[in-house]
Amino acid sequence: FSFAPDGRTMCMAIPDARTGTMDLWLQDLERGLRTRLTFGTESEWQGKFHPDGSWLAAVNDQLGHGGIYRVSSRGGEAPVPLVVDNNDNVPGGFTADGALYYQATDSTAVQWIGVLDPVTGETELLHPNAAASERDPQPSPNGRWLAYSSFETGNMEIYIEALGGRTGRWRVSSDGGMMPAWSPDGDLLYYIAGNQTLVSVPVIETDDGLDLGAPKSVTRALEVSGTAPYAIDPSNGDLAVVRPSNGDASRALELITGWTRLVDRNRRGE
């Protein structure tokens, strides 16, 4: 699930009891209304809003494996192919100018990070000669940095890499990490630690690159599966997390408000 840029709407994938497939729905958070976006016999999931909010990049399996398609946030339009090839492709995140970073899994289960050019529609791999799988790409709000997960140590860990012709790469996690996401101002990086705890790490830009603070636990006991169990409201930094509800298999959303203000107070020593 993900928030729209204005924070007023959330996109989520919900099973269709009749067909057994997944479809995208929009949840109006102010009015409490839910609107279905997709109706086909294929499944759609992992919807990520474009920066202008008019459409989403989402996974669609109409060819028997995952491709990335453009889905209008207004509904009523057929999905349009964006990244469809022989790989299983999953959208990661957009830069402010519309470049889409995505995760590609090939037939041998090796994972790569690709980027879709918003002007030409062409794709390229970020690290075509990577020695280990890389996944979960998330560009920072200012487009200067890319957070992602890598298996290069033998365990999945979080890294940040400079973009835009700059150089530099920093390891963020020390005991496992996956599914990173940035705060709206880019001064915090969230990720799921190896113990299934959501943590945040302060990120400060310096003349030499980045200065990373100590990780801090945000919430525990998350339900981690193939998709991130949390999302960040880009309008105010609030968090929504998915966790088991009432001890059964159902799932519930929990909103964590005021978290960024608490972080600010801790930084000032209040």
Side-chain angles (χ1 to χ4, degrees), residues 110-112 127-134 150-153:
V110 174
Q111 295 169 315
W112 311 84
H127 302 134
N129 299 315
S133 286
E134 298 175 336
S150 171
F151 283 95
E152 68 177 52
T153 66

Side-chain angles (χ1 to χ4, degrees), residues 3 15 44-45 62 90 113 129 157 203 207 213 238 263 266:
F3 285 95
E44 292 92 4
W45 68 97
Q62 63 180 271
V90 178
I113 293 174
N129 299 315
E157 303 287 356
V203 180
D207 292 339
D238 284 346
V263 171
N266 288 340

